Amino acid sequence: LLNVPYFYEGCTCSYPLPMAVSLTSMPEEFEQWTSWGEVPFATLDGKIKRLGLNLGAPGDRKTDDGTLWLNHPDVGGPSPKLSITTKPETPEFFYRNSVFMNGGDGWPWVTASGARGLRSITIKGIKPGSYSVSLLFSAPDKKECSFSVSINGQERLKNVQPLGDAGIPMQGSKRLIQNVEVSGPITIELTPIKGTTVLCGVELIVTNQ
């Protein structure tokens, strides 16, 4: 809490509007963005052990638990340079303010944006080891869809349905996948079953290296 009271008593200055200011930090769920600053990929290659990828977001931010969430594509200013390829090369990205989220799991400012029609995303520069992988989803509208998810060729999730309870859109969901062995690039594939795919965010955290 930052408290800036006024100290005008005894002052001869003719300020007409004495006032005080009190500020407090907003909770982490509150949407706020920054530009982290550029770091060349050569510096990161093979060293990334923790990463949050926020698809369609307008900027970067870091959470208190230590994950640096970077926007992709990079539109919010200089960010660390990642080597990321997607199929298709330019999926349909969407963004809503997190105040429009209808609850659910995961950070609302991650699940409020995403990519539709994404078939795969490959992230390079990951340090070899065992990882926990969190995938975040939400449906931006009431269009029903379902799909399966594979990581490095191994099916990990079946029949993912981003549309929320009772057909409610903009409701976040988070799926945690443990013990993902990474020895090079990590590729996440989404295979549609019905409708189109939707992915909002990816969080990688090393658990054993």
Side-chain angles (χ1 to χ4, degrees):
L1 179 67
L2 172 65
N3 186 22
V4 185
Y6 52 82
F7 294 99
Y8 70 90
E9 185 176 355
C11 179
T12 58
C13 301
S14 57
Y15 296 124
L17 297 173
M19 60 178 293
V21 176
S22 182
L23 303 175
T24 185
S25 298
M26 297 296 290
E28 279 196 288
E29 290 77 13
F30 181 74
E31 180 170 328
Q32 51 189 334
W33 305 105
T34 187
S35 174
W36 189 258
E38 186 171 342
V39 178
F41 179 69
T43 303
L44 303 172
D45 191 14
K47 301 176 183 177
I48 299 172
K49 298 186 292 184
R50 185 167 189 149
L51 173 67
L53 199 61
N54 199 349
L55 302 178
D60 307 328
R61 64 177 295 179
K62 188 176 183 179
T63 51
D64 290 344
D65 61 10
T67 298
L68 175 59
W69 287 89
L70 301 177
N71 62 156
H72 180 79
D74 184 10
V75 297
S79 297
K81 298 301 180 184
L82 303 177
S83 179
I84 297 175
T85 56
T86 63
K87 294 182 180 179
E89 185 175 347
T90 55
E92 177 190 346
F93 292 101
F94 65 89
Y95 164 73
R96 309 283 191 276
N97 191 283
S98 62
V99 297
F100 294 102
M101 292 302 298
N102 295 306
D105 301 320
W107 296 116
W109 39 266
V110 175
T111 54
S113 64
R116 302 186 73 167
L118 188 68
R119 299 299 296 270
S120 72
I121 181 168
T122 299
I123 308 170
K124 297 181 180 179
I126 308 298
K127 185 178 178 67
S130 181
Y131 284 76
S132 67
V133 179
S134 295
L135 302 179
L136 293 94
F137 309 95
S138 76
D141 51 38
K142 292 187 176 182
K143 295 179 181 179
E144 293 186 9
C145 66
S146 62
F147 48 89
S148 62
V149 178
S150 299
I151 300 180
N152 285 352
Q154 182 180 0
E155 187 176 63
R156 293 289 191 145
L157 299 176
K158 297 181 179 180
N159 196 29
V160 177
Q161 301 181 50
L163 200 58
D165 300 336
I168 298 175
M170 300 297 289
Q171 187 175 86
S173 64
K174 178 179 179 179
R175 306 290 291 273
L176 176 63
I177 304 168
Q178 300 278 19
N179 303 317
V180 177
E181 297 298 326
V182 176
S183 58
I186 183 169
T187 298
I188 301 168
E189 297 178 284
L190 297 88
T191 303
I193 300 172
K194 179 180 180 180
T196 187
T197 63
V198 181
L199 179 63
C200 297
V202 179
E203 184 179 27
L204 309 174
I205 302 175
V206 69
T207 55
N208 188 18
Q209 54 183 318

